[in-house]
């Protein structure tokens, strides 16, 4: 199962809004095949695992899969049907499908067919891997990660508000991997004005997925010549505001009610969830982070502490 979880993690960022799933086919203590869900809309882990078995005899095998096999027809056929056709003797499942509409259905069908099913092997690790999927499918809201870099004396920016390069290369690489893993990234318009970030994903030697850039505009800080609005920008940029002015340089302007300190962030989460945004990375400055914590929308906190002192 640990191997299956490692395979599943290869799909991070590419499977949204689907879960990351890994699967291994074992017969007589020999791994015959393995696979993972590589991208949304593509074959599921079980299909890829059996495909990698080639001509090997798989009947009576033991299947290790990190998530309960699906029973519903989406963009691909139900995985339970494949398993019933292949007739394994045992299926080991890390965790049940958290979707309340289907949870347990796949396990029940396998057991009804006389296949032994064991559930709960490395379940904690499996749930951690798919924390975004679990949260979104049970609440309809995006999983929110608050990311911040600070110095030893607790500063997240200079007194002029600039916050670029607080940390080093290792932290910046991890930040780009976090961007790849999230559907969208949120900052305030003041951060865009002061730092002019591109908010794209840049991982050396690897292809990365660019998140939707979402800018909270609480003042006259935005203009069309900023990097997030560049003509060759990678991925869309949305501006969120509580006034009635359209930002023509943005791909879309979202009008939402006011909340404490600006836009109602709870209303924003509902809007993003309805738009299929399953995860949100907040990289904003102090005001944006404070508003997020006050609105109680944060699910995970990542603080990077740099060996520097800004003072002041």
């Amino acid at each position: 199962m640990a191997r299956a979880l490692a395979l599943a993690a290869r799909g991070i960022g590419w499977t949204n809004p689907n879960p990351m799933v890994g699967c291994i086919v074992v017969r007589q203590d020999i791994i015959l095949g393995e696979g993972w869900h590589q991208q949304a809309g593509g074959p599921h882990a079980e299909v890829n695992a059996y495909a990698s078995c080639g001509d090997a005899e798989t009947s009576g095998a033991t299947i290790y899969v990190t998530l309960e096999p699906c029973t519903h027809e989406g963009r691909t056929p139900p995985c339970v049907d494949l398993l019933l056709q292949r007739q394994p003797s045992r299926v080991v499942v890390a965790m049940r499908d958290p979707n309340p509409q289907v949870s347990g259905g796949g396990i029940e069908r396998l057991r009804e067919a006389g296949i032994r099913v064991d559930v709960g092997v490395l379940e904690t690790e499996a749930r951690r891997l798919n924390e975004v999927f679990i949260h979104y499918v049970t609440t309809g809201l995006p999983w929110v990660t608050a990311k911040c870099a600070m110095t030893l004396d607790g500063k997240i920016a200079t007194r002029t508000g600039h916050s670029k390069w607080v940390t080093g290369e290792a932290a910046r690489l991890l930040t780009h991997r976090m961007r790849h893993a999230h559907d969208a990234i949120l900052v305030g318009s003041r951060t865009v004005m002061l730092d002019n970030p591109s908010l794209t994903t840049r991982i050396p030697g690897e292809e990365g997925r660019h998140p939707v850039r979402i800018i909270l505009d609480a003042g006259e800080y935005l203009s069309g010549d900023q990097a997030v609005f560049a003509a060759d920008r990678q991925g869309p940029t949305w501006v969120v505001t509580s006034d009635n002015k359209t930002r023509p340089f943005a791909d879309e302007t979202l009008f939402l009610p006011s909340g404490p300190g600006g836009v109602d962030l709870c209303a924003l989460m509902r809007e993003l969830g309805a738009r299929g945004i399953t995860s949100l990375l907040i990289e904003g400055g102090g005001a944006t982070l404070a508003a997020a914590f006050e609105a109680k929308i944060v699910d995970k906190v990542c603080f990077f502490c740099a060996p520097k002192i800004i003072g002041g």
Side-chain angles (χ1 to χ4, degrees):
M1 189 61 77
R3 171 65 180 165
L5 285 166
L7 290 170
R10 296 183 183 182
I12 189 168
W14 299 114
T15 65
N16 300 3
N18 296 342
M20 291 174 277
V21 183
C23 180
I24 297 180
V25 181
V26 179
R27 192 169 186 266
Q28 296 178 348
D29 294 329
I30 297 174
I31 293 179
L32 302 180
E34 57 185 29
W36 68 96
H37 184 37
Q38 298 179 13
Q39 63 181 21
H44 286 189
E46 296 91 330
V47 175
N48 288 330
Y50 271 114
S52 74
C53 293
D55 296 328
E57 176 58 55
T58 60
S59 62
T62 296
I63 309 301
Y64 294 87
V65 63
T66 59
L67 183 69
E68 175 183 356
C70 62
T71 59
H72 57 285
E73 181 107 19
R75 285 184 278 184
T76 58
C79 292
V80 163
D81 291 350
L82 173 65
L83 294 179
L84 293 175
Q85 176 188 344
R86 292 287 190 142
Q87 283 297 301
S89 62
R90 180 182 177 218
V91 177
V92 183
V93 179
M95 61 171 286
R96 294 175 179 267
D97 189 328
N99 188 335
Q101 296 181 331
V102 298
S103 180
I107 294 168
E108 183 179 350
R109 283 192 60 190
L110 292 172
R111 286 175 173 165
E112 287 174 349
I115 298 172
R116 174 183 170 184
V117 182
D118 297 313
V119 184
V121 177
L122 297 185
E123 180 174 358
T124 299
E125 291 82 352
R127 295 184 69 85
R128 184 177 298 119
L129 177 69
N130 274 313
E131 58 192 8
V132 169
F133 172 73
I134 294 170
H135 182 78
Y136 183 73
V137 80
T138 55
T139 68
L141 301 174
W143 171 271
V144 178
T145 302
K147 175 261 174 186
C148 186
M150 71 178 186
T151 58
L152 289 176
D153 55 339
K155 303 297 173 59
I156 65 172
T158 65
R159 61 186 176 86
T160 58
H162 293 86
S163 59
K164 265 193 173 183
W165 317 135
V166 171
T167 55
E169 288 296 330
R172 284 197 284 274
L173 176 59
L174 182 53
T175 294
H176 282 285
R177 293 195 181 280
M178 292 170 66
R179 289 180 181 178
H180 166 76
H182 287 76
D183 288 341
I185 182 171
L186 177 72
V187 300
S189 55
R190 180 172 166 81
T191 293
V192 172
M193 178 192 70
L194 292 171
D195 293 341
N196 195 26
S198 61
L199 302 179
T200 55
T201 298
R202 300 179 297 280
I203 305 174
E206 297 180 28
E207 183 183 3
R209 193 175 64 117
H210 301 293
V212 177
R213 279 80 59 88
I214 302 175
I215 316 298
L216 293 175
D217 191 10
E220 303 297 326
Y221 295 128
L222 299 180
S223 62
D225 59 356
Q226 289 158 333
V228 290
F229 304 115
D232 59 348
R233 60 184 177 270
Q234 296 168 299
T237 300
W238 301 345
V239 173
V240 183
T241 181
S242 55
D243 63 31
N244 57 2
K245 299 177 184 176
T246 299
R247 276 59 170 180
F249 39 77
D251 291 288
E252 194 166 350
T253 305
L254 279 58
F255 301 102
L256 293 173
S258 298
V263 172
D264 183 338
L265 293 184
C266 292
L268 176 59
M269 295 307 104
R270 292 191 293 270
E271 176 67 21
L272 295 181
R275 288 169 174 258
I277 299 295
T278 67
S279 55
L280 178 70
L281 177 63
I282 300 179
E283 280 196 49
T288 301
L289 287 166
F293 284 116
E294 184 176 352
K296 295 181 172 57
I297 63 169
V298 177
D299 299 294
K300 189 173 188 175
V301 179
C302 295
F303 261 55
F304 296 79
C305 298
K308 300 177 181 179
I309 294 176
I310 287 180

